[in-house]
Amino acid sequence: MFEGKTILTGVKPTGTPHLGNYLGAIKPAIALGNKALEQGGKHYMFIADYHAINAEKNPEILREKTKEISCIYLASGLDPEKSFFFRQSDIPEIPEITTILYAYTPKGFMNKAHAYKAAVDKNREAGKPDDDGINMGLYTYPTLMAADIVAYDSDIVPVGKDQVQHVEIARDIAGAINAHYNKELLKLPTYYFDDNVAVVPGVDGRKMSKSYGNVIPLFEDDKSIKKAIFSIKTDSRPMEEPKNPDEILVYEIYKSIATPEQLKEMGDGLRQGKLGYGHIKNMLLDAVIAEIKEAREKYNYYMSHFDEVEEMLQKGAQKARPAAQATLKRLKDAVFGR
Ligand code: ADP
Ligand code: TRP
């Protein structure tokens, strides 16, 4: 389905990615991009730093998070020679395209956008006025995201569930512009949502999320990873008692990382009362460390040689810009009748 298609992914440099982000977003995004490349397509992967400033105002934190996220993607197998890998803020055409798209963005779309609605709901729960602390960047961010998407003629945008609506908004805006000028000025994007990517539970059994503080860290040292894994909730049943693996949280987390053979071994051991909680936590720990070992080494290298990464990002922006320039020109020519 990716033959000759342009795939685009944007990632906000906020928070420090955890194992759930890695297994649920980072790895699948890189795999999908590589698949598109193998099939003669293009892969754009950018750091959505203009999106991040709506919430994060501290430049040091923004710089650090951008550094972290770019090193994580490179360490996890993104090839900057083959994929377009760059910072959003290094493409000056994006805010220009956004301005044109604003004129075709019904305000009602923004009122209904998830990110804004979630912020309003949070305010209501806290008994605050609806728009408390909400800036125009957050309110209008689906239009900026639409500009990201149309700028590079994206066909397919792989997303998590929460972002589906935003891609639909991008498609609607692009469609409205094409209809108005009766010309295919912008490529209509579709989203791609992978049902097979499982939600990884956190150490307390809820979805692993930075906002719940229940994460297994990604590229920290073995000790920190071990500490998180050994804090996974268990009960006080003795090892000998046969257990249903599907009721055991360690097993649930193991599912997202283990091979079928490894999973069977843990499942059988639990059912037969041959594996205790200490054993299975160690099995999970070994699997996590094996999964990230190579990537962690690369990550540490890139973090301490960021000048090399910066160069890759700059080169990536140079390679990505012509597509955005061409889109902007098409738009300006049509809009201003040039
Ligand atoms: P968090 O919940 O930690 O704030 P984000 O909402 O920033 O994470 O998610 C970033 C990406 O990681 C999204 O694509 C999301 O679907 C994915 N993701 C986040 N948590 C998990 C999880 N526990 N399991 C699988 N994927 C996840
Ligand atoms: N809004 C996305 C998020 O919060 C990030 C993003 C910005 C994006 N622009 C994009 C994702 C374009 C896909 C395509 O995760």
Side-chain angles (χ1 to χ4, degrees), residues 110-184:
M110 303 294 104
N111 295 337
K112 283 189 291 189
H114 288 317
Y116 169 67
K117 267 176 59 182
V120 170
D121 289 346
K122 213 166 152 193
N123 278 338
R124 288 188 184 160
E125 268 167 38
K128 294 180 183 164
D130 277 7
D131 282 336
D132 195 74
I134 297 180
N135 54 51
M136 286 304 285
L138 173 67
Y139 186 58
T140 61
Y141 110 66
T143 310
L144 173 58
M145 181 158 160
D148 294 328
I149 292 171
V150 299
Y152 313 103
D153 306 314
S154 313
D155 293 294
I156 300 173
V157 186
V159 283
K161 246 193 201 122
D162 59 321
Q163 296 294 323
V164 166
Q165 183 204 26
H166 297 143
V167 181
E168 286 173 336
I169 291 177
R171 190 181 172 87
D172 285 347
I173 297 172
I177 292 179
N178 289 348
H180 184 80
Y181 298 100
N182 197 20
K183 226 189 218 169
E184 217 208 304

Side-chain angles (χ1 to χ4, degrees), residues 18 20-21 23-25 160 162 197-201 207-211:
H18 48 72
N21 298 140
L23 297 173
D162 59 321
V197 175
V199 171
V200 184
K207 167 189 178 285
M208 188 181 292
S209 171
K210 59 179 174 289
S211 39

Side-chain angles (χ1 to χ4, degrees), residues 1 33 140 157 178 230 235 261-262 285 287 290 301 330:
M1 77 174 279
T140 61
V157 186
N178 289 348
F230 274 74
D235 54 40
E261 295 76 36
Q262 287 175 319
L285 176 64
Y301 174 85
R330 277 198 312 278

Side-chain angles (χ1 to χ4, degrees), residues 137-336:
L138 173 67
Y139 186 58
T140 61
Y141 110 66
T143 310
L144 173 58
M145 181 158 160
D148 294 328
I149 292 171
V150 299
Y152 313 103
D153 306 314
S154 313
D155 293 294
I156 300 173
V157 186
V159 283
K161 246 193 201 122
D162 59 321
Q163 296 294 323
V164 166
Q165 183 204 26
H166 297 143
V167 181
E168 286 173 336
I169 291 177
R171 190 181 172 87
D172 285 347
I173 297 172
I177 292 179
N178 289 348
H180 184 80
Y181 298 100
N182 197 20
K183 226 189 218 169
E184 217 208 304
L185 290 171
L186 303 173
K187 186 69 96 44
L188 299 186
T190 48
Y191 64 83
Y192 175 80
F193 176 67
D194 189 351
D195 270 329
N196 296 319
V197 175
V199 171
V200 184
V203 298
D204 61 357
R206 294 184 288 173
K207 167 189 178 285
M208 188 181 292
S209 171
K210 59 179 174 289
S211 39
Y212 296 146
N214 63 355
V215 310
I216 297 175
L218 193 51
F219 294 150
E220 289 184 18
D221 57 15
D222 290 1
K223 224 173 111 195
S224 315
I225 296 172
K226 183 168 182 180
K227 196 170 156 224
I229 287 178
F230 274 74
S231 75
I232 295 172
K233 256 207 217 151
T234 47
D235 54 40
S236 55
R237 285 181 289 171
M239 180 179 94
E240 299 72 28
E241 193 180 320
K243 300 174 191 74
N244 174 359
D246 291 323
E247 290 166 4
I248 311 270
L249 182 54
V250 178
Y251 181 79
E252 285 303 308
I253 302 175
Y254 200 54
K255 272 184 185 168
S256 54
I257 198 164
T259 62
E261 295 76 36
Q262 287 175 319
L263 197 64
K264 183 170 182 310
E265 189 192 347
M266 188 183 282
D268 290 348
L270 286 164
R271 271 187 291 265
Q272 295 160 6
K274 287 188 180 149
L275 289 173
Y277 292 130
H279 295 126
I280 62 170
K281 284 180 175 175
N282 272 315
M283 287 164 85
L284 175 61
L285 176 64
D286 289 345
V288 170
I289 290 176
E291 168 77 37
I292 62 167
K293 194 174 179 301
E294 204 188 315
R296 186 169 59 182
E297 278 164 20
K298 285 192 191 158
Y299 173 78
N300 289 333
Y301 174 85
Y302 285 127
M303 284 296 279
S304 55
H305 296 80
F306 192 68
D307 47 335
E308 290 178 25
V309 178
E310 184 62 49
E311 209 183 303
M312 292 177 202
L313 289 169
Q314 293 308 323
K315 272 198 193 149
Q318 270 174 30
K319 280 195 299 182
R321 256 188 100 180
Q325 283 166 333
T327 302
L328 180 62
K329 181 166 185 332
R330 277 198 312 278
L331 278 173
K332 277 178 140 177
D333 286 351
V335 168
F336 300 114

Side-chain angles (χ1 to χ4, degrees), residues 12-74:
K12 268 195 301 191
T14 49
T16 297
H18 48 72
L19 190 69
N21 298 140
Y22 180 70
L23 297 173
I26 299 170
K27 252 183 92 174
I30 295 174
L32 214 67
N34 287 339
K35 206 158 143 192
L37 289 168
E38 279 163 23
Q39 300 180 2
K42 291 184 189 147
H43 180 222
Y44 287 81
M45 169 88 236
F46 72 95
I47 299 169
D49 50 358
Y50 274 134
H51 288 264
I53 61 175
N54 299 328
E56 183 56 69
K57 302 289 192 277
N58 182 325
E60 270 96 59
I61 295 179
L62 281 166
R63 192 185 57 213
E64 203 47 36
K65 296 294 165 199
T66 299
K67 182 175 167 186
E68 239 177 40
I69 201 85
S70 40
C71 294
I72 285 177
Y73 273 86
L74 289 169

